[in-house]
Amino acid sequence: MSITLNHFDFEIAILHIMIKFKSAYAGLLFVLLPLAGVGQVNETNHALRQKIDSAQQSLTPNNFPQQITTYKEIGNIFQQLNKFDSAIYYYKKAAGIAEEISKPEALSPVVYNLSLVYLKKGLYNTALEYGLRALEIDRSLNQAENISASLNIVALIFQEWGIFEKALEYRLESIKLAEETGNKVEIAHGNYNLGSLYRKLDKPGIALKYFLVAKVNYSELESQLELSESIYSIGDIYLIQKNYVEAIQLFNEALSIKQQLSDKAGIGNCYNQIGLAHALQNQYKQAVDNYSSALGFKILVNDNKGIALTYLRLGSVMFQQDKYVESERYILKSIPVALAINDKEILSESYKILYQLYSAKADFRNAFNYHKLHKAYADSVSNENTRKVVERLSIQFETEKKEKENKILALTIQRQKSLGYSLIGVIVFVLTIVVILYLLYRSKRRTNKIISHKNTLLNEQNTQIATQKKEIEEKNLNLTDSITYAKRIQESLLSDVAELNQQLDDAFILFKPKDIVSGDFYWFGKTGNKFIVSAIDCTGHGVPGAFMSMLGNSFLNQIILHDGITAPEEILERLSTDVKVALKQEETENRDGMDMALCSIDLITKDVAFAGAKNPLVVIENGEATRIKGDKLPIGFSHYDDLSFTKHLLEYKQYPRCFYMFSDGYADQFGGSDGRKFMIKRLQNLLLEIHKLPMSEQFRRLDNEIETWMENEEQIDDILIVGFKIN
């Protein structure tokens, strides 16, 4: 889950308060306030309804300016009531009259308001059309404040749409205009807006720079609300950077200002983030106290997303303390609220906690059901993100096309004005009428050529857009073929199983990927008199897991075959460091990694040295099975930086021994008559039962057993078991 709530609803709430006169709120409307919730409307619905009735009764026939103002005010009231379709109806009536009487100064704010309403409805394409139209009108009127406001609404649409390059372009143009006109308020808002945009671009360092400048700006302007949000946003960046103490101090500073302003939504958000900062430090009592305070304010301002998220966070904190009853109670309160607003990320996280909770309670039927719900919503979020990527590419093409059309339209309008001035000149200077007519004819012919050329360019661009769209569709159709080809690449990188049986007395590898490509992989190789064997489980499965497996394979080749490191604990330490560096885990929120077991076999003495990253080694000798646990450290990012991997030395014995390493896919597979997990204890007993058989027969028994166990159940993870015998 993201650390911050969506700031979008708070921004729209500010728009509701100051929507009546566009020029008066040109800058403030678009200050992006992360974590701000829905603002409260000061008047009751009953009072707003009375305003609508009064406005309708005041309509005067044929008084068109008064009708425009009235319909705009009624649309504004419906917008405050979140009755967006009614607001659109009255805004369009006002726009129609303004166009009919040719009043661009009256049309601009109405078109602007239509852009806001469609943005709130999530209809970004329509919102962008009205936003660009408002910007075009404002530029023709040369009104600096309104131009700045329209630039910001277009930037906001692109930002919420995820087209960040365009958002940045319009944000920078807005702040440049503010600097040219010396508008200190707009400069402050511009710095804050850029900070918010870079925050969305996952560049917290740059975002922090702009937030700090905005804080100074707002302090000089004595703008308390905006100052509190700047302080809050700085705290948010510190939270991302794990400077928890400084983050809490800033959230408390922002909280103090918001309490003075009676900003209930903002107060709730401060408590929520203070709670999160404590939770990330395992300070659970302080976390619960602050989450509880936040929940009260979320309920008070009817912030459903905030309510659902706060219940989820409370449930998570309780689960981390093994308080399963309290955890389940909070999660079950979060789910119906999240369902009502169709927040798939919150639902995915809620079902994940319930899955983990019931697994811990050994209630595997419920665990399996909640695991399926968690996976369904997680896949839905992933599919939605993929759809948005394709949609953004198409939209970017359409947007560039629309901007070019607008430039051509503006050029045509400008030439039409020039034509009008020329006609006035014809009337004034009668004696030169013949010359002027000739000039007009020549100018018109030149204009027609230019327009014809532009149309040709547009047709070529349309053809190019259609071609690019077709290419995107073909790429989607070829995706499965590409993944299948990637499988062949991955298989070619895996070690040759024949070498395993050449170096050891007897061995097998059971390898069953869940998808076409796998996140589990095996590695073995010889350097000097040491033979290294390992079974590795990467984060995820499918394509993401396959990328990690290729990374791990490459690192192991470098560490063992090139650098000659053979001590198992040193191999794991070096691999963990390489993964952290490659994925920039100290600088980003990336937490991908690997769990693995690794044995280093001395081919002369037959001694076996083992080290594990969370995964164990099972050794069977003299009819007894021993499980040597791996360390609790994963390969990659860990909260236990002070710990290191442990080496376990198993000296040569004068009797046969069997060694087994595996990922968690076999033990975690659901199946059987009651749909529960296979479990590691059952796997260990099965290995003990079959260990005297030849390794090839052990492979067949393990494969048949898991296939029978799954029956009609879906395979939930990649499966890997590596077994070998030393006589």
Side-chain angles (χ1 to χ4, degrees):
M1 290 296 296
S2 173
I3 290 178
T4 60
L5 296 177
N6 195 332
H7 62 269
F8 173 70
D9 285 337
F10 180 78
E11 182 171 0
I12 296 300
I14 298 177
L15 301 182
H16 288 168
I17 298 172
M18 291 173 284
I19 201 170
K20 186 173 181 182
F21 299 106
K22 183 176 175 184
S23 61
Y25 62 88
L28 178 60
L29 295 185
F30 296 95
V31 176
L32 296 180
L33 303 178
L35 275 181
V38 177
Q40 290 182 296
V41 178
N42 293 329
E43 299 167 281
T44 64
N45 289 355
H46 178 69
L48 292 171
R49 289 287 182 184
Q50 286 182 329
K51 274 194 170 187
I52 293 172
D53 294 338
S54 175
Q56 288 176 328
Q57 292 170 7
S58 68
L59 285 171
T60 304
N62 299 323
N63 187 345
F64 297 117
Q66 187 256 0
Q67 289 180 16
I68 294 171
T69 301
T70 301
Y71 285 135
K72 186 174 68 173
E73 288 179 351
I74 295 173
N76 181 23
I77 294 167
F78 276 115
Q79 188 171 344
Q80 293 184 51
L81 293 170
N82 291 332
K83 306 257 182 211
F84 299 122
D85 290 335
S86 297
I88 289 169
Y89 172 78
Y90 283 102
Y91 283 148
K92 285 187 175 180
K93 285 179 74 74
I97 297 171
E99 287 181 317
E100 187 175 341
I101 65 174
S102 299
K103 284 279 187 181
E105 64 274 11
L107 178 61
S108 171
V110 178
V111 173
Y112 180 92
N113 292 352
L114 280 166
S115 177
L116 295 177
V117 176
Y118 280 114
L119 177 58
K120 182 63 176 176
K121 283 170 68 70
L123 300 175
Y124 299 118
N125 206 3
T126 308
L128 182 61
E129 289 180 7
Y130 281 105
L132 290 172
R133 188 178 177 195
L135 178 59
E136 177 189 343
I137 296 170
D138 292 334
R139 279 176 168 158
S140 69
L141 296 172
N142 197 28
Q143 296 178 350
E145 287 188 343
N146 285 0
I147 293 172
S148 179
S150 295
L151 285 169
N152 275 309
I153 187 62
V154 173
L156 177 61
I157 295 166
F158 279 125
Q159 183 168 319
E160 291 303 317
W161 217 347
I163 306 174
F164 296 116
E165 288 184 359
K166 285 290 182 183
L168 183 59
E169 175 184 331
Y170 282 91
R171 290 291 190 204
L172 291 172
E173 186 177 352
S174 174
I175 195 170
K176 179 181 178 183
L177 179 62
E179 289 173 345
E180 288 174 353
T181 58
N183 190 328
K184 293 184 179 181
V185 174
E186 285 296 324
I187 292 171
H189 297 334
N191 283 317
Y192 192 94
N193 291 341
L194 286 171
S196 298
L197 180 55
Y198 279 112
R199 171 66 182 88
K200 280 216 165 192
L201 287 167
D202 199 23
K203 295 182 178 180
I206 301 176
L208 179 61
K209 181 183 73 172
Y210 282 104
F211 284 141
L212 289 169
V213 174
K215 177 187 175 185
V216 174
N217 295 153
Y218 288 132
S219 179
E220 292 173 351
L221 292 168
E222 298 182 355
S223 301
Q224 292 300 301
L225 176 61
E226 292 83 357
L227 176 61
S228 70
E229 291 300 333
S230 298
I231 296 170
Y232 184 92
S233 298
I234 296 169
D236 187 33
I237 298 297
Y238 282 145
L239 191 61
I240 295 171
Q241 296 175 340
K242 300 181 183 179
N243 296 328
Y244 300 127
V245 175
E246 294 88 341
I248 291 172
Q249 290 175 350
L250 287 162
F251 289 140
N252 277 316
E253 185 179 347
L255 174 63
S256 176
I257 299 174
K258 289 181 178 298
Q259 287 171 336
Q260 295 173 17
L261 299 173
S262 297
D263 177 9
K264 296 181 177 61
I267 293 170
N269 293 328
C270 289
Y271 279 126
N272 217 329
Q273 290 303 91
I274 294 171
L276 179 59
H278 283 299
L280 292 172
Q281 299 178 83
N282 298 328
Q283 298 170 351
Y284 298 125
K285 183 181 183 305
Q286 297 94 321
V288 170
D289 289 344
N290 282 281
Y291 283 155
S292 300
S293 298
L295 182 61
F297 284 97
K298 293 296 177 185
I299 294 172
L300 184 64
V301 300
N302 197 29
D303 178 7
N304 287 332
K305 183 179 178 71
I307 293 169
L309 183 60
T310 307
Y311 276 135
L312 172 60
R313 288 180 171 180
L314 281 164
S316 176
V317 168
M318 293 301 177
F319 178 74
Q320 291 174 46
Q321 299 177 82
D322 298 332
K323 297 181 179 180
Y324 299 146
V325 175
E326 294 90 337
S327 176
E328 183 178 10
R329 178 163 55 86
Y330 284 123
I331 297 300
L332 291 178
K333 287 184 177 182
S334 173
I335 289 173
V337 183
L339 284 169
I341 59 176
N342 195 29
D343 194 308
K344 296 176 183 177
E345 290 190 45
I346 292 179
L347 287 169
S348 173
E349 291 298 315
S350 297
Y351 288 128
K352 180 180 180 181
I353 291 177
L354 288 176
Y355 153 63
Q356 294 172 335
L357 187 151
Y358 278 105
S359 293
K361 293 166 64 175
D363 185 346
F364 300 110
R365 175 62 63 183
N366 276 324
F368 179 58
N369 291 336
Y370 283 122
H371 179 271
K372 289 196 292 185
L373 286 169
H374 158 63
K375 186 175 182 300
Y377 278 103
D379 290 346
S380 178
V381 171
S382 177
N383 292 338
E384 181 69 13
N385 290 337
T386 302
R387 183 190 64 77
K388 285 180 178 179
V389 169
V390 177
E391 183 184 69
R392 286 170 189 165
L393 288 173
S394 177
I395 289 158
Q396 207 152 358
F397 295 142
E398 292 295 330
T399 301
E400 291 174 358
K401 174 184 172 185
K402 183 68 67 177
E403 288 176 348
K404 290 171 183 174
E405 290 174 347
N406 288 338
K407 288 179 180 178
I408 293 173
L409 180 60
L411 179 63
T412 304
I413 292 171
Q414 185 63 39
R415 287 198 167 88
Q416 288 174 346
K417 287 182 179 180
S418 299
L419 180 61
Y421 295 145
S422 298
L423 290 173
I424 294 172
V426 170
I427 297 172
V428 175
F429 302 101
V430 177
L431 295 177
T432 57
I433 189 169
V434 176
V435 177
I436 292 173
L437 286 174
Y438 172 74
L439 292 174
L440 285 173
Y441 168 75
R442 190 171 63 179
S443 175
K444 183 177 180 180
R445 185 174 62 180
R446 187 167 56 251
T447 301
N448 287 338
K449 287 182 179 179
I450 293 173
I451 292 174
S452 176
H453 178 64
K454 293 293 185 182
N455 286 335
T456 301
L457 289 178
L458 279 176
N459 290 333
E460 292 175 355
Q461 289 165 353
N462 287 337
T463 302
Q464 184 181 3
I465 290 170
T467 301
Q468 290 170 334
K469 182 180 179 182
K470 184 178 179 181
E471 289 175 357
I472 292 172
E473 292 172 349
E474 290 175 351
K475 287 178 181 178
N476 287 336
L477 290 175
N478 293 331
L479 182 59
T480 301
D481 292 339
S482 297
I483 295 175
T484 303
Y485 185 73
K487 176 187 178 182
R488 293 199 295 270
I489 295 174
Q490 185 183 37
E491 289 175 344
S492 70
L493 294 175
L494 293 174
S495 303
D496 187 353
V497 178
E499 182 184 354
L500 187 65
N501 283 301
Q502 289 175 0
Q503 298 294 336
L504 301 175
D505 296 322
D506 198 4
F508 75 86
I509 296 177
L510 177 63
F511 182 46
K512 298 172 73 69
K514 178 186 182 300
D515 300 311
I516 299 175
V517 290
S518 172
D520 288 5
F521 74 101
Y522 52 88
W523 190 99
F524 47 85
K526 181 176 179 294
T527 178
N529 64 335
K530 298 293 177 68
F531 187 68
I532 314 299
V533 184
S534 183
I536 305 98
D537 182 358
C538 299
T539 302
H541 50 75
V543 174
F547 275 117
M548 286 297 298
S549 72
M550 294 176 72
L551 190 67
N553 188 290
S554 175
F555 284 151
L556 287 171
N557 286 336
Q558 177 68 29
I559 295 167
I560 299 171
L561 301 182
H562 184 271
D563 296 345
I565 299 175
T566 59
E569 75 281 7
E570 294 179 12
I571 295 172
L572 298 193
E573 290 286 356
R574 169 70 178 278
L575 179 59
S576 183
T577 300
D578 288 350
V579 168
K580 290 178 187 177
V581 173
L583 300 183
K584 299 180 179 179
Q585 293 185 332
E586 297 296 333
E587 307 165 17
T588 68
E589 296 180 16
N590 182 282
R591 297 295 180 265
D592 293 325
M594 308 169 192
D595 299 338
M596 62 187 290
L598 184 143
C599 289
S600 177
I601 305 162
D602 191 314
L603 297 176
I604 297 175
T605 67
K606 299 294 184 177
D607 292 342
V608 177
F610 162 74
K614 301 183 77 172
N615 285 358
L617 171 70
V618 172
V619 183
I620 300 179
E621 53 185 341
N622 291 331
E624 293 185 0
T626 304
R627 189 193 318 161
I628 304 173
K629 294 183 178 181
D631 295 296
K632 293 184 178 181
L633 294 170
I635 299 299
F637 177 83
S638 171
H639 292 288
Y640 307 101
D641 291 337
D642 56 331
L643 301 180
S644 58
F645 293 103
T646 306
K647 174 181 177 181
H648 303 270
L649 181 61
L650 304 171
E651 295 180 345
Y652 172 71
K653 299 292 179 65
Q654 294 291 334
Y655 45 78
R657 288 188 294 180
C658 292
F659 300 82
Y660 302 92
M661 297 178 286
F662 41 82
S663 66
D664 58 3
Y666 202 106
D668 285 349
Q669 178 60 48
F670 290 100
S673 59
D674 52 359
R676 67 173 60 194
K677 288 184 178 181
F678 194 89
M679 304 300 289
I680 193 170
K681 184 176 181 181
R682 187 194 302 268
L683 173 58
Q684 184 171 316
N685 290 336
L686 176 60
L687 294 173
L688 181 61
E689 177 186 335
I690 66 174
H691 80 280
K692 293 183 179 180
L693 298 173
M695 285 291 172
S696 59
E697 180 64 17
Q698 291 187 41
F699 167 87
R700 190 186 65 80
R701 286 285 302 275
L702 287 166
D703 191 28
N704 290 342
E705 182 72 19
I706 197 63
E707 289 293 336
T708 303
W709 177 262
M710 284 192 290
E711 291 183 315
N712 297 323
E713 297 286 355
E714 178 185 357
Q715 183 175 337
I716 67 169
D717 201 356
D718 300 319
I719 292 174
L720 173 63
I721 301 179
V722 177
F724 62 91
K725 181 182 292 185
I726 295 181
N727 292 322

